[in-house]
């Protein structure tokens, strides 16, 4: 099912306010969201727009800042009080 053009435009506008470009994020990380959302357990890989849709723009920016500051070799985990865990796997 295709999204309406207004939904695509609003999602694109939100991505424009990220501190990092989508290309830079996708080049450096694989993003996995896991936890309890929408009434069931989820464990799925998401892109930048999926991350912004699930956690919101404010939390996405904070998580990305943290992931780029960490200089680890494997992963960076960020947990929300709602029970969601976002994991950034370094490439």
């Amino acid at each position: 099912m295709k999204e309406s053009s207004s939904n695509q435009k609003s999602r694109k506008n939100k991505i424009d306010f990220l501190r990092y470009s989508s290309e830079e994020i996708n080049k450096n990380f694989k993003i996995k969201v896991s936890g309890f959302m929408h009434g069931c357990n989820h464990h799925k890989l998401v892109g930048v727009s999926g991350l912004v849709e699930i956690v919101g723009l404010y939390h996405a920016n904070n998580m990305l800042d943290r992931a780029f500051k960490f200089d680890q070799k494997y992963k960076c985990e960020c947990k929300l009080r709602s029970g969601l865990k976002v994991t950034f796997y370094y490439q």
Side-chain angles (χ1 to χ4, degrees), residues 43-60:
H43 303 284
K44 62 181 180 177
L45 290 172
V46 295
V48 178
S49 62
L51 177 68
V52 171
E53 183 180 330
I54 292 170
V55 299
L57 187 63
Y58 176 77
H59 290 300

Side-chain angles (χ1 to χ4, degrees), residues 26-55:
N26 289 330
K27 184 178 82 171
N28 291 309
F29 304 109
K30 295 280 187 203
I31 305 168
K32 180 181 177 185
V33 177
S34 58
F36 192 76
M37 41 183 188
H38 307 298
C40 58
N41 268 339
H42 286 283
H43 303 284
K44 62 181 180 177
L45 290 172
V46 295
V48 178
S49 62
L51 177 68
V52 171
E53 183 180 330
I54 292 170
V55 299

Side-chain angles (χ1 to χ4, degrees), residues 2-27:
K2 284 192 168 184
E3 288 184 285
S4 67
S5 61
S6 63
N7 283 343
Q8 290 174 348
K9 287 179 185 176
S10 67
R11 186 179 290 174
K12 178 131 174 81
N13 290 340
K14 287 180 184 178
I15 292 175
D16 290 339
F17 290 107
L18 284 174
R19 293 186 189 119
Y20 305 95
S21 68
S22 296
E23 293 83 19
E24 185 179 10
I25 297 166
N26 289 330
K27 184 178 82 171

